[in-house]
Amino acid sequence: MRPLRPLFSLALALLSLGSASAQGNPIIPGFHPDPSICRVDSDYYLVNSSFQYFPGVPIFHSTDLQRWQQIGNVLDRQSQLPLADATSWTGIYAPTLRYHDGTYYMITTNVQGGGNFMVTATDPRGPWSEPVWLEQQGIDPSLLFCDGKCYMVSNPDNTITLCELDAKTGRRLTPSRGIWQGMGGRYPEGPHIYKKDGYYYLLISEGGTELAHHITIARSRDIYGPYEANPNNPILTHCNLKGQSSQVQGTGHGDLVQDTEGRWWLTFLAYRHYGGSYHHLGRETFIAPVEWSADGWPVVNGGEPIVPQQRQAVSVRTDFSTAPGPEWVYLQNPDSACYRLHDGRLTLTGSSSDLKTNRRPTFIGRRQEAPVFTFETKMSAGQLGSNAEAGVCAYQMHEGYASAGVSRRAGKSIVTLTLNLKNVNVPLATRELGTATDVWLRLGSDEKNYVFSYSTDGRRYQPLGEVDCTLLSTETVGGFTGVVLGLYAHNGGSGTAKADFDYAEYKEGE
């Protein structure tokens, strides 16, 4: 076993990881929680949980562990992903991604939608199989392929539980057996087992996914235990003296990977505070180097706190001449009749469900990934009925979002800024736009506030109003997700609601 190298060596390792400082940490920003990673030759693949959004389980590819590109979504067919009535508290929880003998395996939990299941593919870009449903429950399931066997771990009854699995059929081959309950923190979850130097290492998260979130580890010579806890647990936390003042908090739910040079890394989730002890971007994917001490325990980031690093700003324009990219998502299982691409436009047809009602509302959006950004669109409101509304929104969950919606009254257009807080709609501002049916809407943020504006010529924008970002934070409205920037339409309970959107442009930075 290698001795623990000094912090100087850890710094060199980070510098050699592509251009780490240029690419930044988090490596996948915005609402991308519960990362799981695997390496196949010189390629790395990573997946995240997705909760109530469709398609589910975004999958990313990298060759250097820093530059990541989304190559698809694992669950991209409605038959794979029933999301009826799913909310920011339910849907798809933490996935695990593994590769064995030419096949990729993704295992996860659909809360309220059937429990634990597994899908497989020979190409990580898909197609992925239909779900194979599993007997052992408990969230955050994981797989280990070792010595010709496949093992599954999850956490029923707050106990990390193990069984042997038939990887082809999903049939449980051995009784489920509890192997560890962690160090006494609440919600022992997110288990992964690795075999290294004759030991089985069991990595888990404890403390809940808030400030007390942390990672602990134990090991055993026998996969069924007994497991010996690391005397230096937790191996990652910011709920301590060193990490308490960091902007990065809630560090936990990690997965280990060994790179092509033999170095070890931990991908994990954390969130960044803005405006005090609030986070609205969601739990994000970070990475840190791992060294192994002389007595065989992992040390994350040299025992030092995780420091966020600036990344290169992103600018993306979607013109709807083709299908939106894999970063675009819907709420629950979308009704395909409500979304139509034609003539370089996206037509949204609203149903009777608005965002608050949360019954397959007409909504399409992309994650907010930076604190400072602009999100802009041009829409035509000419086909909106008398009770209908369409526009842009910053959506945290159905009980917390802010929207700028255009409606029609007596042949004139009206734009209204509304804050939904705990399922109560609060109109904040209304502007009359005259007879104009083409309206440009802009949603931006200066890190502290969401700023809404509008235009009737695409050049001169008028302010509509602001919403404090902390009002859309997890601490205020709850849930497990982060803000998604979206386009929406609803018919107000009757009539017609059709709106054409020419483009959607997302730019980070000033």
Side-chain angles (χ1 to χ4, degrees):
M1 299 177 188
R2 293 182 293 162
L4 180 62
R5 293 189 290 179
L7 289 178
F8 177 72
S9 296
L10 292 180
L12 288 178
L14 274 175
L15 288 174
S16 66
L17 185 61
S19 53
S21 61
Q23 294 303 308
N25 213 359
I27 54 173
I28 305 178
F31 156 50
H32 291 103
D34 304 315
S36 178
I37 190 171
C38 74
R39 176 174 69 87
V40 180
D41 298 324
S42 58
D43 294 294
Y44 303 90
Y45 299 97
L46 186 149
V47 292
N48 298 106
S49 54
S50 51
F51 296 88
Q52 78 271 43
Y53 289 98
F54 181 93
V57 187
I59 182 166
F60 295 84
H61 170 257
S62 176
T63 56
D64 63 7
L65 291 172
Q66 274 289 315
R67 299 173 183 85
W68 292 89
Q69 178 185 11
Q70 187 174 354
I71 58 174
N73 294 275
V74 173
L75 306 174
D76 60 4
R77 301 189 301 278
Q78 299 206 30
S79 59
Q80 298 169 308
L81 185 55
L83 289 172
D85 299 323
T87 72
S88 182
W89 298 106
T90 63
I92 295 294
Y93 276 21
T96 295
L97 182 67
R98 294 293 181 257
Y99 175 82
H100 176 70
D101 196 23
T103 299
Y104 294 85
Y105 296 80
M106 193 284 295
I107 183 173
T108 188
T109 310
N110 188 342
V111 179
Q112 292 185 323
N116 289 335
F117 69 96
M118 176 175 64
V119 293
T120 60
T122 55
D123 184 335
R125 291 165 178 80
W128 291 76
S129 71
E130 290 298 301
V132 174
W133 298 98
L134 306 171
E135 296 174 69
Q136 181 171 296
Q137 294 303 302
I139 63 170
D140 305 349
S142 181
L143 297 174
L144 171 68
F145 292 91
C146 184
D147 300 327
K149 296 182 178 181
C150 175
Y151 297 95
M152 171 186 171
V153 282
S154 57
N155 77 333
D157 302 318
N158 285 316
T159 300
I160 307 304
T161 300
L162 174 75
C163 72
E164 188 180 335
L165 203 67
D166 184 319
K168 292 184 178 180
T169 66
R171 186 169 62 92
R172 182 170 50 183
L173 300 179
T174 62
S176 296
R177 178 172 167 181
I179 57 175
W180 199 40
Q181 291 185 307
M183 301 294 295
R186 66 175 187 161
Y187 306 136
E189 58 192 16
H192 297 297
I193 298 181
Y194 316 87
K195 190 173 185 182
K196 181 181 184 295
D197 300 330
Y199 280 107
Y200 294 93
Y201 286 88
L202 174 56
L203 184 79
I204 73 167
S205 295
E206 302 185 51
T209 189
E210 303 92 27
L211 280 173
H213 208 32
H214 57 275
I215 295 177
T216 57
I217 196 166
R219 69 185 182 189
S220 173
R221 294 287 187 183
D222 187 326
I223 195 169
Y224 286 99
Y227 278 82
E228 165 200 8
N230 183 353
N232 294 315
N233 276 332
I235 63 171
L236 177 63
T237 183
H238 275 195
C239 194
N240 57 16
L241 188 60
K242 281 187 175 182
Q244 64 181 351
S245 61
S246 174
Q247 183 194 25
V248 178
Q249 292 296 327
T251 54
H253 201 106
D255 197 6
L256 290 164
V257 69
Q258 190 175 22
D259 69 18
T260 56
E261 311 254 336
R263 298 169 300 193
W264 287 83
W265 302 89
L266 179 75
T267 56
F268 59 96
L269 69 78
Y271 53 81
R272 292 176 285 173
H273 274 156
Y274 294 97
S277 298
Y278 298 91
H279 75 281
H280 59 287
L281 298 189
R283 297 169 297 159
E284 308 173 288
T285 293
F286 288 74
I287 194 168
V290 174
E291 294 292 315
W292 294 86
S293 65
D295 53 358
W297 292 110
V299 178
V300 179
N301 205 45
E304 295 301 310
I306 308 301
V307 178
Q309 296 167 303
Q310 186 69 33
R311 70 163 184 159
Q312 185 176 359
V314 170
S315 178
V316 181
R317 181 182 174 100
T318 302
D319 63 10
F320 300 123
S321 60
T322 58
E327 72 274 17
W328 288 86
V329 292
Y330 307 88
L331 283 167
Q332 302 168 345
N333 298 111
D335 180 351
S336 60
C338 293
Y339 306 85
R340 181 180 173 225
L341 289 172
H342 64 101
D343 302 324
R345 288 182 163 191
L346 170 66
T347 297
L348 297 184
T349 300
S351 69
S352 59
S353 175
D354 58 13
L355 297 175
K356 180 175 68 172
T357 307
N358 198 45
R359 293 289 178 89
R360 290 207 304 175
T362 301
F363 170 95
I364 183 171
R366 56 154 298 145
R367 293 159 174 86
Q368 179 187 346
E369 298 181 351
V372 180
F373 74 93
T374 58
F375 180 72
E376 179 185 292
T377 189
K378 177 191 175 185
M379 64 168 284
S380 175
Q383 299 181 74
L384 290 177
S386 59
N387 295 313
E389 179 181 294
V392 301
C393 67
Y395 182 94
Q396 176 68 258
M397 63 183 301
H398 70 285
E399 295 182 333
Y401 59 86
S403 62
V406 178
S407 57
R408 297 280 291 171
R409 299 286 187 276
K412 295 183 179 181
S413 296
I414 300 168
V415 60
T416 302
L417 175 61
T418 302
L419 172 66
N420 176 279
L421 195 59
K422 297 296 185 180
N423 249 355
V424 176
N425 279 340
V426 181
L428 300 180
T430 299
R431 301 286 187 272
E432 292 188 1
L433 308 180
T435 58
T437 56
D438 287 345
V439 183
W440 285 256
L441 297 173
R442 184 177 288 170
L443 160 59
S445 177
D446 59 5
E447 184 177 310
K448 295 181 180 179
N449 297 289
Y450 288 109
V451 181
F452 292 82
S453 57
Y454 65 93
S455 173
T456 55
D457 62 12
R459 298 186 302 275
R460 294 164 295 184
Y461 279 80
Q462 304 297 323
L464 181 60
E466 298 182 356
V467 173
D468 191 317
C469 291
T470 64
L471 294 177
L472 300 188
S473 68
T474 297
E475 289 75 14
T476 300
V477 300
F480 290 135
T481 55
V483 168
V484 174
L485 310 170
L487 314 174
Y488 74 95
H490 69 85
N491 67 16
S494 63
T496 302
K498 286 190 177 183
D500 292 328
F501 293 85
D502 284 20
Y503 67 90
E505 187 171 53
Y506 173 79
K507 289 184 178 180
E508 297 176 354
E510 300 294 339

